[in-house]
Every structure is written in structure tokens, then in C-alpha cells.
Amino acid sequence: MPTVRSENPPIRPDVVVIDAGHGGSATRGGSTHSGVRGPMGTLEKDVTLSLARRVAAHLGAGARLTRTADTNLTLAERSALAQRWGAAVFVSLHANSGAPGRRGAEAYVHERAGSPSRALASALHGELAAFGCGCSAGAVQGADFAVLSPERHFPGTAASLLEVDYLSDPQGERRLRDPRELDRLGRAIAAGIRRYLDPSAGARSPAYGRVVPERVICDPAGRDAGIVAGDVTDPIATITTANARAVELLGAAIDLLTDTRNTIVAGADAGWPAVGDALGAALRDRLRIDGNDRSVWTEPPPGRPGTIAFALRWLGRIRELLDGGDLWYRCRARDCGPGDDPDTADCCRPGSWAYTMPGNHPFLIRLCQPFWAAGPDDRALTLIHETSHVYYGTEDSGGGMGVAECLSQFVGDLAGIPVHPHFAAACTPPAP
């Protein structure tokens, strides 16, 4: 039955709905649960959810997800959410299946789509082609996809479906399993959406390598006035300084691990002096890696859990998140009260330094009062600590790396930063 629409649909130009195709364990209302299964067992439903989170993170405020967990919605429910939220844009994400060797992304609109949907699909296709997806010119296609049906969307809503690559192809599957590739793909999709919403945005390049002021949610003159004390007269500058120091510390750790690994791969013995006492202790106590085991150094990237290649991937991705302008920060000095849950009440448990935010904005870090009273190194380690949770929660299982709390202290150990009691309590060496 067609959805009943109001005569004057309340389109909100800032609302973009990202639909992660499939989900759950049962087919519902035309939406199959797992979707395509790749040769290595990768499920389409997992790829689409991971990618949707990245697209939303790159878009920032206004982006909403039809699902944030492994659940399935009917096709009607997916488009109904776009109506309920007054979406200006609706993009449904999928991964394709086809003949061996088939690769590339495809952009679809409904065969009866209007000009807004066709303009959106064209913008998305242009960004994906520039991204290097293997698209062919003129690849925007029309199809009778129910989730894109004009009867299920407001007339002003631009609706498109993307098949981002062929999960059935081994190379396509490897690409869609790679967190770094997924993040690049999410950035390209977000750029296409922005180009549709604001055609002039195509001439602007995103700012990387610094904290983006628009992504710092802070009101120093109002609810966050308590953080403006001592040397914290400019919260954005303080976060930027901590971010830069965090990137510096991560870079030093990556360089040390890379140089040591190259020496051992070239023939040096694992252990002292190639590894050294300080690095060996940090690997053992923080990352649960035995630095005297030659195999953990010589296994090639991406490496299994518990290897140096795996650790380098973790450290490198965290540095990219901090250095890429992808993170959001919320200045929040209020302590949680009785009955408040910091995961839902948007507050800080007394004594906590920061929290990552679940839900539709997986790249948002909420900063608490102790962060603002800390020194520069401890602020930097706090950002590394929380970003490791962001990466652990959204991109990688992290098995064999100890716990996320230990990664920041691993970096601190290598830099000679004394263990703050807050970090020491969160990360203790393994029992002998």
C-alpha cells in the first residue's frame, strides 16, 4: 500500500539518511537478512553497517542511520524513517554479486525517479569514479527497487541505492574487509552527498591534519564554562594541541616498531639488542606481544592478532583518525547524577576523563573535567585511549592486542611518560 504523504512535506535540508542494507537473522518485508556472502565468508549485512557508520561520521551532524546494530527492517520501514525524519537525501548501501571477475560500483535510482534522485546518483557516481571504484561512464541505472519507490518518499527527497563493489569477487571482498578502504569509500560517498546538497562544495577540499573547529561541540560561555580555567582559555586550541601531541607520540611508536621489524626481517635476532629492554617490556606488558618471538616480527601485513604487523595497523589507523579531521569532540564538564548512565545521559561519571559515544556518531569523543585539568601528555594519551576504543568498536576486533586501554600506555611507555594512576588502573601487566 502506498505511503500517505502530507501535501507540504517537511523536508529538512540538513538530514541525510544512510540505510545499511540487510541485517538480522530473518527476512522481513522484502529485505533479506545476510545478503551476499563473499568467498571468505564476509556478509553483506556487516559490510553495509560498517560502511554506513563511516559515511555518517564523515557527514557529521544531520546524518542518521536506519539501523545501528545487526537488525533487519522491512523495505517499507526503511523508507518510512526517511519520511519521519524529513530527509533531503536517502542512500541505501549494498554490496553486489555477479560473475567471476566482475568488479566496480553501481549507482541506482528508481525507474520513475525524479530529477533530485538522478542528480544525487550522478554526484555519487562521480565521486566513486574519482575514488577508483571501477565504474564505467554513464553507469547510473534505473531499477524497480521498492526501497526507492517514489510513493514511499517525499517528492523532494533524493533517493539512490549504491552497490559499492562485488563482494562475490575475491579482490572485491578483500577491499570491503579492509577498514582503511572502507573509510576511504565512506569518505567518497559522503563527498558525493555533499556535492549534491551544495554543488559548490566540489571546489572545496576537506581539511585534514588538524582538529576541525566545526566538529568541536563546545559552549565555553554557557554549560561548559567550568572547563575554562587555568590555561584552558580556548578549548579548541587545547584539543588541537593534545591531538597534535597524540599524533606525534603515535608516529614515534610506529617508526620504532617499523625500524625494529625491518632489522629483524633482514636477519637480526629477535630480542635484545634489536628489540631492546624498553620496547620488549612495553610490548609484553601493554600489547601482550612476545618481542622475543621472531615470528611476530616477520609475519607480513596485515598480520594476525598478536603480531607486529597487526599492531602497526592498529597504531596507524588510530593516527589516521586523529590526524584526518574525522573525530568529533564534545566539551562536557557535568558529572553524572544519581541514576544517570554515561552512555545515554550524555554526562561523565565522576573521575572519568572521557567517553566515546555509541550510536549514530561512532567517532564522537566526550571530554570530561579531568581532561581539562591534566597536563599536555596526559591529554594526548587520553585522546589515543579513546580513539583506540573508536577503532576497536567500529573497525576491528583487536584480538590479541591486550585491551584497548593498554594501547595508549604502550605509546606512553615508549615516550618515557610516567604512568598516570588513571591509566595504570585501566591497564595492568599480564600475570606472570
Side-chain angles (χ1 to χ4, degrees), residues 274-355:
V275 177
D277 292 338
L279 176 57
L283 287 170
R284 181 192 66 239
D285 294 348
R286 307 304 180 185
L287 302 189
R288 314 305 197 249
I289 294 177
D290 181 3
N292 292 316
D293 182 346
R294 183 178 179 81
S295 67
V296 305
W297 293 95
T298 57
E299 181 166 323
R304 56 184 167 81
T307 62
I308 300 303
F310 190 91
L312 284 168
R313 186 173 74 189
W314 257 60
L315 292 163
R317 183 61 186 122
I318 292 168
R319 181 174 63 173
E320 286 181 2
L321 286 169
L322 284 163
D323 196 36
D326 294 327
L327 295 173
W328 288 69
Y329 301 94
R330 174 169 293 167
C331 305
R332 174 71 70 171
R334 183 177 75 85
D335 285 343
C336 295
D340 281 340
D341 181 347
D343 287 337
T344 58
D346 198 19
C347 60
C348 293
R349 184 176 288 115
S352 295
W353 291 41
Y355 283 94

Side-chain angles (χ1 to χ4, degrees), residues 9 13 15 17 69 96 120 141 182 193 214 228 231 240 264 267 275 280 282 289 294 396 403:
V15 173
V17 174
N96 223 334
L120 169 65
Q141 304 175 52
L182 275 182
I193 293 170
E214 292 78 10
V228 183
D231 64 334
T240 301
I264 293 172
V275 177
I289 294 177
R294 183 178 179 81
D396 202 309
V403 291

Side-chain angles (χ1 to χ4, degrees), residues 174-236:
R174 281 193 292 271
R175 182 194 196 196
L176 295 178
R177 287 168 63 95
D178 186 336
R180 187 173 303 182
E181 285 295 302
L182 275 182
D183 196 59
R184 293 179 60 232
L185 184 56
R187 183 175 294 161
I189 293 170
I193 293 170
R194 285 194 297 267
R195 186 150 65 91
Y196 162 74
L197 291 171
D198 179 7
S200 67
R204 298 196 298 267
S205 59
Y208 301 127
R210 62 181 178 85
V211 173
V212 179
E214 292 78 10
R215 294 191 172 193
V216 178
I217 306 168
C218 197
D219 177 19
R223 66 181 185 181
D224 299 321
I227 68 173
V228 183
D231 64 334
V232 184
T233 57
D234 185 343
I236 293 177

Side-chain angles (χ1 to χ4, degrees), residues 137-182:
V140 174
Q141 304 175 52
D144 188 19
F145 289 139
V147 77
L148 302 180
S149 174
E151 287 76 24
R152 289 181 170 173
H153 293 277
F154 288 134
T157 299
S160 178
L161 184 147
L162 290 179
E163 299 278 7
V164 296
D165 205 341
Y166 279 76
L167 186 58
S168 57
D169 179 82
Q171 289 185 343
E173 182 180 23
R174 281 193 292 271
R175 182 194 196 196
L176 295 178
R177 287 168 63 95
D178 186 336
R180 187 173 303 182
E181 285 295 302
L182 275 182

Side-chain angles (χ1 to χ4, degrees), residues 19-56:
D19 174 43
H22 309 283
S25 58
T27 296
R28 297 189 64 239
S31 176
T32 58
H33 50 92
S34 297
V36 178
R37 180 187 292 269
M40 292 185 286
T42 308
L43 298 179
E44 181 182 358
K45 67 174 184 177
D46 297 328
V47 170
T48 60
L49 181 57
S50 187
L51 179 58
R53 286 171 169 162
R54 287 165 168 77
V55 176

Side-chain angles (χ1 to χ4, degrees), residues 79-117:
S79 51
L81 286 173
Q83 283 205 41
R84 182 187 309 167
W85 293 328
V89 167
F90 174 86
V91 176
S92 188
L93 301 177
H94 292 263
N96 223 334
S97 177
R102 189 78 182 270
R103 290 291 311 281
E106 297 165 0
Y108 288 88
V109 296
H110 195 273
E111 56 193 11
R112 293 182 285 105
S115 56
S117 295

